[in-house]
Amino acid sequence: MPSRSTPHSLLAANAAALFATLIATPTWAASTCQAQSGATPPTVVELYTSEGCSSCPPADRWLSSLNNQPDVLPLAFHVNYWDRLGWQDRFATRATTERQHRVREVLKGRYVYTPQVVLNGRDERQWSGYAAGRLAQVAGATPSAPPTLTLQRTGHEVTATVGTAQGQPALAGYWAVVQDGLSSRVTRGENAGETLQHDHVVSLYQPVASWAADQPKTVQLNLPQGPEFDALRVAFVVTLPDLVHPVQALSLHCPG
């Protein structure tokens, strides 16, 4: 004999179906995490490096010594022009290499080289003697009124919201998707036979064109799909229009 559903039984059935749907949906797909900049911008440390460069591993180790420093944003940009020596750096991209050439142009350098450390937009050749605690002092004064910066990630979409800035006609910026705990066994080139360890590797670099500094700005980054992208750190650096001198920066690390 067919049964008739009562309002109570319908409610229970709907609740069960909703619960099953929630269980079947990956938690990360619906999760959101957020970070907000502080009053003082972090010191941005850019290392230009290559696995094909024999003098680069000490610089890579130095950059790893800056792990877990809330007032420092370390970024390792691997470049590809040493690939011709016999070892192809798998972390080097055209975009990260082009960034170093832009830095050279803005800072009026004669050539690009590795390892190069750029500290808050300044070529810094004495980097090996600096511990994390000294970097802010060496980097010099920060902007007196930096813009606010908020990062929010929902699934694979990351949104940066930049506040207004006083004393600047325009701002620009760049995204940096960062990976830690990487290693490579090098079999050719200047580092043949070495196992190299890397942190803060910029696996995706994406500049953002300039905008008027007296207007807030919202920009978005869509990360590739796949579980390997779930726990990556994503940073946004607000710069002067030259894309080299930072005025604010923030890193967001959501649980995978």
Side-chain angles (χ1 to χ4, degrees):
M1 178 179 178
S3 61
R4 297 179 60 189
S5 297
T6 65
H8 292 290
S9 62
L10 282 174
L11 182 62
N14 289 339
L18 176 61
F19 180 76
T21 300
L22 291 174
I23 292 297
T25 302
T27 303
W28 174 249
S31 67
T32 298
C33 67
Q34 182 174 295
Q36 174 71 51
S37 61
T40 302
T43 302
V44 179
V45 183
E46 300 182 21
L47 169 64
Y48 293 90
T49 184
S50 170
E51 290 188 334
C53 156
S54 61
S55 57
C56 285
D60 297 330
R61 291 191 291 270
W62 175 78
L63 199 72
S64 292
S65 74
L66 305 180
N67 291 355
N68 304 316
Q69 299 293 327
D71 56 347
V72 179
L73 176 58
L75 300 170
F77 292 89
H78 285 239
V79 297
N80 61 19
Y81 47 81
W82 294 126
D83 291 1
R84 58 184 171 79
L85 297 182
W87 176 256
Q88 184 173 349
D89 188 330
R90 63 193 175 101
F91 306 119
T93 69
R94 178 178 178 179
T96 52
T97 306
E98 288 177 348
R99 173 161 180 82
Q100 189 184 24
H101 284 279
R102 182 181 185 96
V103 169
R104 181 206 60 78
E105 181 180 358
V106 170
L107 300 184
K108 302 186 185 307
R110 295 176 56 192
Y111 46 80
V112 294
Y113 68 97
T114 56
Q116 180 186 19
V117 171
V118 178
L119 185 61
N120 269 3
R122 188 187 72 215
D123 189 19
E124 180 53 66
R125 306 211 175 203
Q126 304 300 319
W127 53 268
S128 61
Y130 298 147
R134 287 196 59 200
L135 286 176
Q137 177 183 357
V138 174
T142 58
S144 57
T148 59
L149 175 59
T150 301
L151 293 182
Q152 180 174 296
R153 178 171 177 174
T154 302
H156 287 258
E157 182 179 87
V158 189
T159 302
T161 304
V162 185
T164 60
Q166 300 176 0
Q168 298 293 340
L171 298 172
Y174 64 85
W175 291 102
V177 179
V178 183
Q179 292 180 275
D180 301 306
L182 303 175
S183 65
S184 293
R185 177 67 177 175
V186 180
T187 60
R188 296 184 302 277
E190 291 188 350
N191 289 314
E194 299 290 333
T195 298
L196 305 180
Q197 309 292 333
H198 306 295
D199 292 307
H200 315 295
V201 174
V202 177
S203 58
L204 186 152
Y205 165 72
Q206 183 173 306
V208 176
S210 62
W211 66 88
D214 61 354
Q215 299 292 324
K217 179 71 171 179
T218 299
V219 292
Q220 291 184 328
L221 176 70
N222 291 311
L223 295 171
Q225 297 293 318
E228 68 272 23
F229 294 100
D230 285 353
L232 294 184
R233 284 192 293 124
V234 181
F236 190 79
V237 181
V238 184
T239 69
L240 298 182
D242 60 16
L243 284 171
V244 173
H245 294 89
V247 297
Q248 185 60 277
L250 187 62
S251 178
L252 179 64
H253 188 189
C254 302

